[in-house]
Amino acid sequence: MVKFYSRVEHKLVEAKSFSQDALIKVVNPSADEIHMLSSLLNFDPDFITDSLDEDERARIEIDEDTILLILKVPMRNEEDEKIPYKTVSLGIIIGKNYILLSMKQEIDFIEKMIETSLLNPHKKSKMIFQIFFKNAKLFLDYLKEINKTIDLVEEELHKSMKNNELETLMYLEKSLVYFTTSLRSNEIMMEKLLKGKVLELYEDDEELLEDTLIENRQAIEVTNIYSNILSGMMDAYASVISNNLNIVMKILTVVTILLQVPTILTSFYGMNVKLPFQQNPLIYVNIIISSIVIMIMTYLWFKGKKWL
C-alpha cells in the first residue's frame, strides 16, 4: 500500500499522486510498488526491502542524494501471544523533495502523527526527530506495562505450584532482550545524526535530538533494570514453587499417616479370629475414640517436630 500526503494550510492531506515536499507512507508494498517508487524517486529499491525486514538493525545508509534511516520501533506482538512485545523496522528515506516512511505493518503512532498533522515534510530534520522522540516515549510506555505485568505475576508466584507464571516471566524477558538490542542500535544511529554530518541540524532540532537521546538512554537503563529483576525473580521463584510443592507433599504425607490409624485398628477387628473386647457392644465406639485420640497425639507429635 502506498499513500501520498502533501501539506495544505498546516494540515497533512492525502494526495492522489506525488508532489514536491511530499510525505509518502508505504506499508507492506508489492514488488511492483517498490519498483514504481524507486523509479519515480530515483533511489535503490533495497532501501525499502531492507526496512521491511524485522531483524534489520537500526542504521544509516547514504546513496548519493538519498539517505536511509532504519529505526527500531516497539510493538505489541499479535502473532505470538506468549511473547507480548517485539520490535519492527521503520525505514525513513530522505530525498531532496520528499520523505518516505516504509514499514512492514501499520505503526500506530505514525498513523496518529499523520492524522493530527504533526508531521511536516517541509521541515525534514524536525519531523524525523519528532518520530524518534515519540518512539523513545513508546518504549518507556511499554516498559511501564511490563512492570505492571511483573507485579501481577509476582503476586501469583507466592502461591503458585505451576510453571505458568515462570513462563510468563521468561517471555517477558525475551521481549526485554528485543528492546535492549533495538534501543542500543537506535542510540548509535542518533549519536551519528547528532554530529551533524548526515542531516543539517538547527538549534531546535539539536535540542529535540538530545532530548530524544536522553529518553532513549533512560529506556535502556529501565530495560536493563527490569531484565535483572526478572532474572533474579525467575531464580528465586523457581525455588519458591519447588518449596510450595514440597509443603503440599509433606501435608499429604502427614494426612496419609493419620488416616492409617483408624484403618489399622478397624483391620484388626475385621479379622476372623478371637480378639480382646470383641464381645463388648461398645467396641465400635471405643475403636473410633481410640483412633481419634491416637490421630490427635500423632498430629501433636508432628507439630512438636515442626514437620507441619
Side-chain angles (χ1 to χ4, degrees), residues 27-220:
V27 181
N28 196 21
S30 64
D32 291 338
E33 288 174 330
I34 294 174
H35 177 72
M36 178 270 291
L37 289 168
S38 61
S39 300
L40 174 66
L41 304 174
N42 192 28
F43 63 78
D44 188 344
D46 287 342
F47 277 14
I48 292 182
T49 54
D50 287 351
S51 63
L52 301 179
D53 184 1
E54 289 187 358
D55 296 324
E56 192 72 30
R57 63 183 177 83
R59 59 186 173 86
I60 301 171
E61 188 172 335
I62 302 173
D63 183 15
E64 296 180 357
D65 295 328
T66 309
I67 301 169
L68 168 66
L69 305 177
I70 293 182
L71 180 71
K72 301 301 291 184
V73 177
M75 184 175 287
R76 286 189 174 86
N77 192 358
E78 297 177 357
E79 298 172 2
D80 188 350
E81 294 181 357
K82 290 183 177 180
I83 303 174
Y85 304 97
K86 64 177 182 177
T87 55
V88 296
S89 301
L90 169 64
I92 305 173
I93 302 173
I94 308 162
K96 285 185 177 180
N97 55 359
Y98 69 88
I99 288 184
L100 186 150
L101 303 178
S102 174
M103 59 203 83
K104 181 73 173 177
Q105 59 194 91
E106 286 281 6
I107 297 175
D108 291 340
F109 82 89
I110 294 292
E111 189 63 28
K112 287 178 183 177
M113 292 179 82
I114 291 174
E115 288 175 359
T116 54
S117 300
L118 285 177
L119 302 180
N120 185 358
H122 294 286
K123 299 179 180 179
K124 293 185 177 68
S125 56
K126 183 176 181 179
M127 173 184 141
I128 291 164
F129 299 152
Q130 283 176 328
I131 292 173
F132 286 0
F133 188 77
K134 286 282 186 182
N135 187 57
K137 285 287 189 184
L138 188 60
F139 269 109
L140 289 169
D141 290 340
Y142 282 154
L143 286 168
K144 288 177 183 177
E145 290 182 13
I146 288 174
N147 188 40
K148 289 179 182 177
T149 306
I150 291 172
D151 290 340
L152 291 174
V153 172
E154 189 174 4
E155 290 179 9
E156 291 296 323
L157 276 168
H158 284 292
K159 52 188 177 183
S160 176
M161 288 175 291
K162 298 181 180 179
N163 293 326
N164 296 345
E165 288 77 14
L166 283 178
E167 287 178 2
T168 301
L169 293 180
M170 182 182 70
Y171 291 126
L172 281 175
E173 190 172 28
K174 195 169 185 180
S175 294
L176 290 175
V177 170
Y178 291 146
F179 279 19
T180 302
T181 306
S182 299
L183 284 164
R184 284 175 179 164
S185 59
N186 285 351
E187 182 183 29
I188 293 169
M189 181 191 63
M190 286 187 281
E191 284 176 344
K192 287 182 180 178
L193 290 174
L194 191 59
K195 294 177 182 177
K197 296 179 180 179
V198 179
L199 289 174
E200 185 179 357
L201 298 180
Y202 299 97
E203 187 175 346
D204 291 344
D205 299 336
E206 192 171 339
E207 279 187 24
L208 180 57
L209 185 54
E210 285 175 350
D211 290 342
T212 305
L213 269 168
I214 291 170
E215 295 292 326
N216 195 81
R217 286 167 184 157
Q218 182 182 346
I220 291 174

